Amino acid sequence: MHSPSGLELAGLVCLLAAVPAVVYLGQSGRRHTGAARRAHLLLAAGGALTTAAALAGLATAALTGHHETAGHTRTLATAVAVGMSIGILTLLAGTVALPGATRGPAAAVRHVLDGLVIAAAIWFVGWVLLSEPTRILGEATPYPCAAILVPAVLVCLALGLTAVLSLHAHRPRRNTVRVSSGVSVVAIATALLATGICRQKSGFALVSMFVLTAGLVLVAYAVRAADRPVQVSGNVLERGGGYAVIPMLAVLTALGHHLGVGGQLDAFGYFGIAVEGLALVARQYLALDDVRRYTVQLRQRESHFRELAHTDPLTGLANRRGLMRALRESSDNAALIGIDMDGFKTVNDMRGHDVGDAVLAEVGSRLKRNLLEGDVAARLGGDEFAVLMHGDADEAVLAAHRLLAVLGEPYEVDGGPMFLSASVGVADTGELLHDADLALRYAKQRGKNRVERYQAGYDELLRRRGTLQGELRHAIAREQLRLVFQPVVALPSMRPVGAEALLRWTHPDLGPVRPDEFIPVAEESGLINRIGAWVLEQACKQLADWLAKGHDVWVSVNLSPKELHNADYAAQVADVLAEYGVPPQRLVLEVTEHAVATDMDELVRRLAELRGTGVRIALDDFGAGYSSLTQLRTLPVDILKIDHALVAEPESRTGTAAPLVDVVVRLGHRLGLEVLAEGIGTPAQREIVEEAGCRLGQGSLFGWGVPAEHFETRLRTLRPGGQRPLPAPRSTPPSDAPARSQVVRLGPGMRQVRALLPSDPDFAGARGDQNVGSVDSGREMGQG
């Protein structure tokens, strides 16, 4: 043992300066989590192994001195080289594991193979330069010491990996490249230290310590920012091929030079060429696998986007393209069911498009749940749907009725349930989409909420519908529209107390057009608001004329759902009443149960606005649609009009109509509503209505709709001559007279029946028929 020289001590001191860098790497690993923690701990472990092996080797060399045999120094150099190489491999593993270096284990393998390609080229070029006959280092060529071979291989690998990371690491790359460069510097230091120990050159050992310390410090400095967020690079097809082409060209150039100057290949040369070839083959195999996998992904995406192009994103059903594709692929035994949701535009207008989308999605779900195997449901756009099914016409019609019932069930959305109906068209021959659409439009024309099967005559009906739409736009200006008035009578006296204004259209070429034919056209074409305003004005104008002549009547006007949902309609009604000086209580506005089916809260608000003008509200066609008892108690209406289907003449006195009429009349009276039975066509029906306690009637038995002058003539024949008599003074009733009842109004839409005793001042006024023409409130209308 001898005392270490100054150079050896300086090397030890310099190496000890690398310890803080290793400690910092360890602390950085403990501060992080996940992939960053694993990478930093690997770097710390690699730095510690490299530093420990270098310290042990340098200390052993310093203590043993220069008197050891060549075999002992080679053994020490080999041990140091192996120990430090293990540390370098650990450092390389930590570099590859850094966030941003690769996208995963598979990408890490590809980076290593790319690094091997470059490393093998560096090795082969270096071998050519160091071997005979080139030997650029001359006598300094370290052939006698095989201990430097492993560090030399790692130097090449570290340099190759650094080059790969500089090309393919995620952005920003500089921190990852700095870490890899630091590892390359550590590998160079390992080769220098092994050479210094092996050749017993203290200068090499001292330089290696400085280089090692610099490399570890560079790694520690770069690690501080190496885990920051990175930008993921594109797919494999976007990567350049320079990492393979340039190294291969370098190998071929070096080989040509070596063979050109008379050199020969030895084991080291064959090793470089073999690694280069194997790495290229392995890398190209993985590249082909990348391309194959990427091609599969492209096909899957193409299939996905193709499916999206044929799928409705809201409902998940097929769209029009998807339906057309299914139609092309369908067999001859196929039928198409076209579906259109009635009044859906009102849902969007009143509740917003979010609620409308929720309803459409629910429609799609209901269609899916009711499909058979092989059926295709599609959303054609808006609120139009279609179902392509396999089966004959009868099966298609049955399926259509089943879907009609399913789609008519309440829709639970925010703000309460909503009721919608559907119009359905069925086609089983010819151009299915075209014919089903014609049948669907015919179903809407015939009143909606029904199923229609395509017939050949629908083409003519469609052409007529187009003609009606064009002519209807000019009907008002050309004075083709007129009003007729159907009497409303008090029961049992059958005295006219009011009239319903009904719209008629007589075209000079088409002749009379039925209301059930042109009213749907007006609603779908957007003309209903203009026509409704004309009807309201003409009805009020005529009512003002009758009142001025002393006729005590009221007039009812039908109100379409689109008019009701017009925010300015209440103001429009008030303006018309003021213009013609009509008392508001003389005007009755009728809404159908179809309007009730849309949005109860909005409907109540609209009706309340109308009642605020003083007019009265009648619920038309009660018993034929959607109204429930809860809705009836909520709606601010004054009159309940029983649908004609409930008052149809029964086969016997125990038939179905009589008890239903009786129930509705009692229900209406209990709710404080006046009840009007419409569609009375026979004395038997009138008798049933009277027995049920209904005090107002309307129907063909009392007269069809007639022009205003005819109705006025009837009023004149029933009106007594002279001025309207003053009310007779009330007489005191006998004390033993039976008690009577009186309807007391408690508030909007709320009334109560109270008993009247003979001692009550109002007792005498409840006797006999009231003068219905002099009514001033909804409570007084038509009682008699």
Side-chain angles (χ1 to χ4, degrees), residues 201-244:
K201 292 184 178 293
S202 301
F204 276 64
L206 180 61
V207 172
S208 69
M209 294 302 99
F210 280 102
V211 173
L212 177 63
T213 302
L216 291 176
V217 171
L218 178 60
V219 171
Y221 172 77
V223 157
R224 292 187 306 168
D227 57 339
R228 293 176 182 173
V230 295
Q231 177 183 353
V232 178
S233 62
N235 57 69
V236 295
L237 297 183
E238 297 176 353
R239 299 175 182 174
Y243 69 90

Side-chain angles (χ1 to χ4, degrees), residues 541-564:
K541 181 179 179 181
Q542 184 60 62
L543 178 58
D545 181 65
W546 286 336
L547 293 176
K549 294 178 181 179
H551 301 298
D552 295 327
V553 292
W554 48 265
V555 171
S556 64
V557 175
N558 289 284
L559 180 61
S560 73
K562 290 190 176 181
E563 290 179 284
L564 179 61

Side-chain angles (χ1 to χ4, degrees), residues 95-116:
T95 303
V96 175
L98 282 173
T102 63
R103 288 189 294 178
V109 172
R110 289 167 176 78
H111 283 357
V112 171
L113 287 176
D114 294 341
L116 276 177

Side-chain angles (χ1 to χ4, degrees), residues 238-514:
E238 297 176 353
R239 299 175 182 174
Y243 69 90
V245 176
I246 295 176
M248 197 63 192
L249 290 177
V251 170
L252 292 176
T253 302
L255 179 61
H257 169 75
H258 185 69
L259 295 178
V261 297
Q264 296 181 349
L265 291 176
D266 58 11
F268 298 109
Y270 279 117
F271 173 75
I273 293 177
V275 172
E276 180 77 12
L278 290 175
L280 280 174
V281 170
R283 187 62 186 90
Q284 293 308 309
Y285 173 81
L286 292 180
L288 290 175
D289 184 66
D290 287 339
V291 173
R292 182 168 55 251
R293 183 167 55 254
Y294 188 71
T295 302
V296 172
Q297 292 177 357
L298 284 179
R299 290 176 179 174
Q300 292 175 346
R301 292 178 183 177
E302 181 182 1
S303 176
H304 174 67
F305 288 125
R306 187 184 300 112
E307 190 64 26
L308 286 180
H310 293 83
T311 304
D312 176 62
L314 178 61
T315 62
L317 305 177
N319 58 14
R320 184 177 291 272
R321 289 194 188 94
L323 180 63
M324 296 301 297
R325 181 178 63 179
L327 285 171
R328 290 192 297 268
E329 299 172 354
S330 63
S331 61
D332 295 335
N333 187 26
L336 186 65
I337 302 174
I339 303 170
D340 186 270
M341 304 304 297
D342 300 329
F344 179 76
K345 185 177 183 301
T346 304
V347 176
N348 280 336
D349 294 342
M350 296 173 56
R351 301 287 291 274
H353 289 276
D354 291 340
V355 173
D357 289 346
V359 172
L360 291 177
E362 176 61 21
V363 171
S365 299
R366 294 184 185 185
L367 291 179
K368 289 178 184 178
R369 292 195 296 266
N370 287 273
L371 290 180
L372 299 178
E373 184 178 358
D375 294 349
V376 177
R379 180 188 175 210
L380 305 182
D383 58 349
E384 296 183 23
F385 296 83
V387 175
L388 178 65
M389 59 170 294
H390 299 281
D392 55 26
D394 294 335
E395 293 174 339
V397 172
L398 288 176
H401 282 286
R402 184 179 71 251
L403 293 177
L404 183 68
V406 168
L407 298 177
E409 296 176 358
Y411 293 84
E412 297 294 336
V413 294
D414 294 339
M418 299 188 66
F419 296 85
L420 290 175
S421 63
S423 298
V424 182
V426 179
D428 60 301
T429 58
E431 298 182 12
L432 295 181
L433 190 58
H434 174 268
D435 295 349
D437 184 62
L438 289 182
L440 169 61
R441 297 178 67 176
Y442 187 67
K444 295 184 76 68
Q445 183 179 353
R446 294 194 61 188
K448 306 178 181 178
N449 193 28
R450 59 186 298 120
V451 175
E452 289 291 340
R453 181 182 172 187
Y454 173 77
Q455 298 178 13
Y458 286 175
D459 293 291
E460 178 62 30
L461 293 174
L462 180 60
R463 285 192 291 271
R464 176 176 172 83
R465 190 177 185 86
T467 302
L468 292 179
Q469 181 174 340
E471 294 296 323
L472 190 57
R473 295 183 181 276
H474 310 287
I476 296 178
R478 295 172 181 173
E479 298 182 352
Q480 297 172 0
L481 299 180
R482 62 187 178 90
L483 293 182
V484 297
F485 298 87
Q486 185 176 26
V488 176
V489 302
L491 298 176
S493 64
M494 293 192 297
R495 177 164 46 85
V497 295
E500 180 179 359
L502 303 174
L503 182 61
R504 296 294 183 262
W505 180 23
T506 303
H507 191 273
D509 298 324
L510 302 175
V513 184
R514 293 174 54 87

